[in-house]
């Protein structure tokens, strides 16, 4: 895997840490791939997101990492925080705007 492009550290409980690392999106055949990983104290899980360009691939990776973190048992117990807050400061999926009337 390539060198880390950006990363964010989260508090886990009172003493541990979780790190989300994102790697620079790279061109594939028809699209771009952004690899990312979430490093827990006892394991590291690797993922990837695809987009039509680098921006979309990175944005989707950020959103997917956020979903991965929020769906963890640790987050459900309220143990993951960023800067002391349960708001992890990562983008979330947004609902499409309703049509104008």
């Amino acid at each position: 895997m390539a060198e880390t492009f950006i990363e964010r550290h989260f508090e886990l409980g009172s003493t541990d840490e979780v790190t989300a690392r994102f790697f620079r999106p790279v061109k594939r055949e028809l699209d771009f791939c952004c690899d990312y990983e979430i490093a827990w104290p006892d394991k590291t899980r690797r993922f990837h997101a695809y987009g039509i360009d680098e921006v979309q691939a990175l944005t989707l990776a950020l959103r997917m990492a956020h979903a991965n973190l929020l769906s963890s048992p640790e987050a459900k117990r309220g143990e993951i925080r960023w800067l002391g807050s349960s708001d992890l400061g990562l983008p979330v999926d947004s609902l499409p705007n309703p049509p104008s009337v």
Side-chain angles (χ1 to χ4, degrees), residues 15-101:
T15 59
D16 286 324
E17 182 176 272
V18 175
T19 302
R21 292 184 185 91
F22 301 87
F23 302 90
R24 188 173 300 279
V26 295
K27 178 78 170 142
R28 297 289 192 235
E29 235 177 88
L30 299 174
D31 49 15
F32 286 80
C33 178
C34 183
D35 292 324
Y36 68 97
E37 66 184 27
I38 299 175
W40 298 86
D42 61 341
K43 64 185 175 280
T44 298
R45 300 201 53 214
R46 292 178 176 81
F47 309 89
H48 50 267
Y50 290 91
I52 196 71
D53 60 17
E54 293 160 304
V55 172
Q56 185 181 42
L58 177 59
T59 301
L60 290 173
L62 290 164
R63 287 179 176 176
M64 290 170 62
H66 196 191
N68 295 140
L69 289 164
L70 291 178
S71 65
S72 71
E74 294 84 353
K76 291 177 183 176
R77 290 192 301 265
E79 297 175 356
I80 298 178
R81 304 185 75 68
W82 179 61
L83 301 177
S85 172
S86 59
D87 178 352
L88 302 182
L90 293 171
V92 295
D93 279 334
S94 57
L95 297 174
N97 292 331
S100 299
V101 184

